[in-house]
Amino acid sequence: MSQHVSEITHRSVASPGGRIHLVEQGSGPLVLLVHGFPESWYSWRHQLPALAAAGYRAVAIDVRGYGRSSRPAATDAYRLLDLVEDNVAVVHALGEESAVIVGHDWGATIAANSALLRPEVFRAVGLLSVPYTPRGGPRPSAVFAGMGGEEEFYVSYFQEPGRAEAEIEPDVRGWLAGFYAALSADTMPGPDAPDPHFVGKGGTLRERFPAGRRPTWLGEDDLDVYAGEFERTGMTGALNRYRNMDRDWEDLAPFDGAPVTQPSVFIGGGLDASTTWLADAIEAYPVTLPGLVSSHVLDGCGHWIQQERPAEVNRILTDWLSAVTV
C-alpha cells in the first residue's frame, strides 16, 4: 500500500449549518460516507483504508449535530433538506463536481435523499441497513404512535426534546454500549425477550439492553471514541434528526413516491430489524431503485453492518464501485 493511501487526514469545511468535519483517505473518484445514529465518521474506519487501497478518495463525515461538525441550536435545523445541502457543500469544498454517496442507518436515508434531490451531484448511491422507502403514506408521527400497542416505539420516545437525553446523558458510555449490543448479531436479545426498539410504560430503552455483554466488533478503544464524542457534545444534535421526520414528510411532498434512479447497491443484515421490518421496501426495489446493481442481505448479521462484517461490506462496495465509477 502506498504512503498516500495509509494516511488519514482530518479537516473541516464550510457548510450551510456552519462547518462539517471530515476524514479523508486515498485519491481517485470521490466516495462520501455518511454515518447513522448514534455514531460518527469513525463508523467507517474499516472502509476508509479499503476504499483508498482500491483507488478511491474516501471521505467520511461527522453529520451535522455530531462529533466535530457544527450543532445548530434550532431543532428544525436537522431536516433532510439541510443535511443534503451539507453533503453538496462537502463535495464542492473538496473541489469536486460529483461523488458517489454511501450511507448507513440514518445515513442511508440521507444518502438516498441526497441522490433524489441533487442527482447532478450524487451519481450513485449505496444504502446500508435501511432500505430506500419513497416519501408517502400518513404523517410519520401518526404511524409511529400506532405501533407497539401499550409500548412506545423508540422513534416516538425520541420526539420530545430532553426526554431521551435525560436517560442517556448521565451515563453516555454505558448507554451506548447497551444500545450497540442490543442491535448486534452476537449480543442482541433473543426473540422471546422484550423488544429493545420499544419502551414499556414509564420505562426506559436501557432496561431492555443486554447487560454486561459487548459485541465482538466493539473494542474498548472503539467505545471510548464514540462515548468521548457524545460526552463532549451531548445527544441533542443526534436526536434532532428524529424530531424532523414530520417536517421531512412535508418538505418532500413534491417527491411523493419518487424513485432514486442512479446506480445503487443495498446491503442489509439478516438479523437487523431495519432490514426485516422493511422487507416490502426491498421487494419494491425494481420500482423504487430502478438503477439497482445488486442487493445483499448478510445472514446472521445485525444492524452495525460495516463494523460487524467489514470484509464482506468492503468487497461488495468495491465490486459495486468498480461497476459504477470511471
Side-chain angles (χ1 to χ4, degrees):
M1 192 180 292
S2 60
Q3 186 62 27
H4 76 277
V5 168
S6 64
E7 292 174 353
I8 282 184
T9 304
H10 290 257
R11 63 167 139 157
S12 292
V13 300
S15 68
R19 62 180 188 161
I20 293 293
H21 168 249
L22 60 87
V23 175
E24 181 176 3
Q25 192 167 11
S27 59
L30 177 59
V31 181
L32 189 65
L33 304 169
V34 187
H35 67 80
F37 175 89
E39 303 182 79
S40 75
W41 75 266
Y42 189 74
S43 305
W44 301 103
R45 64 193 176 280
H46 303 298
Q47 284 66 53
L48 288 163
L51 295 179
Y56 299 96
R57 185 184 187 186
V59 173
I61 64 169
D62 282 337
V63 173
R64 178 188 299 209
Y66 287 84
R68 300 183 216 172
S69 292
S70 293
R71 300 187 303 281
T75 302
D76 66 359
Y78 296 84
R79 60 217 302 161
L80 281 171
L81 295 184
D82 290 328
L83 302 180
V84 168
E85 291 309 307
D86 284 347
N87 291 338
V88 171
V90 168
V91 172
H92 292 159
L94 292 172
E96 301 286 351
E97 292 298 316
S98 67
V100 174
I101 188 167
V102 178
H104 169 256
D105 182 76
W106 263 124
T109 302
I110 297 167
N113 282 279
S114 296
L116 178 69
L117 298 171
R118 298 299 298 269
E120 78 285 5
V121 177
F122 299 104
R123 63 180 185 271
V125 58
L127 308 177
L128 274 58
S129 297
V130 176
Y132 175 58
T133 53
R135 187 267 186 209
R139 184 175 292 272
S141 60
V143 174
F144 298 132
M147 295 174 62
E150 289 295 300
E151 298 182 334
E152 185 177 16
F153 191 46
Y154 78 100
V155 177
S156 299
Y157 178 69
F158 285 167
Q159 291 303 306
E160 182 188 335
R163 186 179 174 204
E165 288 92 329
E167 173 186 341
I168 302 167
E169 290 180 352
D171 177 21
V172 168
R173 194 176 194 278
W175 194 91
L176 289 174
F179 190 75
Y180 297 146
L183 305 185
S184 295
D186 56 346
T187 48
M188 62 175 55
D192 298 328
D195 191 331
H197 296 88
F198 292 87
V199 178
K201 234 185 182 94
T204 62
L205 276 171
R206 183 174 185 156
E207 64 196 26
R208 297 190 172 185
F209 295 165
R213 301 182 67 198
R214 185 73 53 78
T216 52
W217 63 265
L218 184 69
E220 289 289 332
D221 291 347
D222 302 322
L223 184 55
D224 285 343
V225 171
Y226 288 124
E229 291 293 73
F230 288 110
E231 286 167 352
R232 183 172 57 78
T233 65
M235 298 299 298
T236 298
L239 289 162
N240 278 345
R241 173 81 290 274
Y242 293 92
R243 296 165 183 161
N244 280 278
M245 295 179 77
D246 282 353
R247 290 186 186 94
D248 298 334
W249 181 80
E250 294 165 0
D251 290 341
L252 295 170
F255 296 88
D256 194 81
V260 170
T261 59
Q262 293 97 316
S264 57
V265 65
F266 173 74
I267 315 173
L271 299 178
D272 182 10
S274 300
T275 298
T276 56
W277 287 353
L278 294 170
D280 289 350
I282 296 173
E283 289 179 15
Y285 279 168
V287 173
T288 61
L289 289 179
L292 185 70
V293 173
S294 61
S295 180
H296 312 261
V297 176
L298 306 186
D299 288 343
C301 185
H303 181 66
W304 316 105
I305 191 161
Q306 76 270 40
Q307 299 176 87
E308 292 187 49
R309 298 281 187 85
E312 282 177 85
V313 169
N314 293 347
R315 178 183 54 77
I316 292 168
L317 287 179
T318 52
D319 286 351
W320 171 70
L321 286 165
S322 70
V324 301
T325 55
V326 290

